[in-house]
Amino acid sequence: MSTTLERLRAFLAEHTPPTPCLVIDVDTVLERYRALTRAFPGARLQYAVKANPEPAVLEALARDGAAFDVASPAEIRSCLAAGAPGGTLSYGNTVKKPADIAMAHAAGVREFTVEATSDLENIAEHAPGAQVSARLLIEAPASVTPFGRKFGVAADEAAALLVRAADLGLDPVGVSFHVGSQQLDLTAWDIAIGSAAKVFGSAAERGVALRRLNVGGGIGVGYLEQAPPDDAYADAIAGALRAHFPGPAPELVLEPGRALVAEAGVIRTEVVLVSRKAADDPYRWVYLDIGRYNGLAETENEAIAYRFEVVGDHSGDTGPVILAGPTCDGDDVLYQRRTYRLPVSLRPGDQLDILSTGAYTASYSSVAFNGIEPLRTYCISGGRLISAE
Ligand SMILES: *Cc1c(COP(=O)(O)O)cnc(C)c1O
């Protein structure tokens, strides 16, 4: 059995596509989906489409019976086109227009997440009878790429929204939250699930019985820094459920994005320029054909520290480098605080692989900043090309 990286590299060696490019091994996405299904028996897994909306990825997951977390009409259309029934889609974005709700309802979407009364009223009008969850604002430890305070409301407000949902003829099903993406601190779920239990309690006191708990995404993957294994996440979540829901446990929903697709992808990039700002400067600046605007948006604030590997034989000494992107934007610098080391023999035209880059890369790529085209994605399965765009 070959590893994911061996399969991705075999494809690159055989086809030598122009760089930069992202290659996704769809079989690995399915392996990750099945592994998480085993780690969380009985839970519903909704793939967060924004992590990588490649049609071949959505098709494979839909065939395997996955559900989907969607955030816009375009994501709904992508899932339907991939063969996912509308009823397997959950509209997790709390920021939406009445027309978006109507479109979703017409497409068969029956579940929405809310954090404001105006949105609830729009749902009651354009998706009558729909299931609704309230998004909870949680005070959890910061993740690697946190949501800050953008989403969710306090527990009392969430309970009030769900009671109001019942009054509007909607079906208030429960609570959802997100502890922040690439969350490496397992205590985050305990804090969040404790807070969710308060919403269940306070809604029950007001005559509304909730039944579903959506614990969001946040499961981490290994970049330069390792992440806990799936089982550690599963144990932390199961432990928190036992602690905070002593009665019957609610239905559990998970929304992994990063954890399903990151490790399935590799980006191949080419060194465009190597320069040294002064003769005595120990650092070389290495400019790649990929940067902040054509795929590596998550290097902002150096949040995600990707692992780079030089392609081919460069076995000599290494030296410190600052890694930067190809555009004329001063912010298009990937890493200058964190020191990376690359071979002193590195020259323009040499290639690097950036590992575990299947999530939040192509989907974050701008369409034409500085005339640079969006990151191309090639999907392989069984070692063969199944789609290119
Ligand atoms: C982005 C997002 C996810 C996926 O988060 P990951 O950290 O990539 O697993 C899940 N749910 C919602 C509502 C999201 O916005």
Side-chain angles (χ1 to χ4, degrees), residues 202-273:
S202 115
E205 281 166 17
R206 294 148 88 169
V208 173
L210 301 177
R211 59 182 190 273
R212 189 174 302 157
L213 181 61
N214 179 336
V215 299
I219 294 179
V221 308
Y223 295 106
L224 269 190
E225 202 182 350
Q226 286 309 300
D230 294 342
D231 285 346
Y233 285 98
D235 288 349
I237 291 169
L241 282 171
R242 279 193 303 274
H244 299 289
F245 287 89
E251 300 163 22
L252 186 64
V253 178
L254 254 75
E255 289 180 342
R258 189 185 303 278
L260 290 188
V261 291
E263 288 156 338
V266 71
I267 285 173
R268 182 153 289 183
T269 175
E270 180 179 311
V271 176
V272 182
L273 187 74

Side-chain angles (χ1 to χ4, degrees), residues 72-165:
S72 65
E75 285 190 352
I76 293 171
R77 281 191 288 273
S78 298
C79 289
L80 297 179
T88 65
L89 313 183
S90 172
Y91 205 124
N93 193 350
T94 59
V95 185
K96 50 195 170 298
K97 299 175 179 178
D100 302 337
I101 297 166
M103 182 277 171
H105 181 70
V109 178
R110 294 292 173 263
E111 185 177 9
F112 297 83
T113 305
V114 299
E115 64 168 82
T117 308
S118 61
D119 191 30
L120 262 187
E121 289 167 354
N122 289 336
I123 293 169
E125 183 177 343
H126 297 287
Q131 301 180 0
V132 291
S133 290
R135 174 86 176 245
L136 188 58
L137 174 64
I138 49 159
E139 309 290 345
S143 71
V144 172
T145 60
F147 280 99
R149 294 179 59 81
K150 180 170 178 185
F151 291 111
V153 293
D156 286 348
E157 186 63 22
L161 280 170
L162 291 162
V163 171
R164 175 92 172 107

Side-chain angles (χ1 to χ4, degrees), residues 48 50 69 92 135 147 178 180-182 216-219 255-259 360:
K50 74 179 186 290
D69 166 48
R135 174 86 176 245
F147 280 99
H178 197 304
S181 199
Q182 184 70 0
I219 294 179
E255 289 180 342
R258 189 185 303 278
Y360 303 117

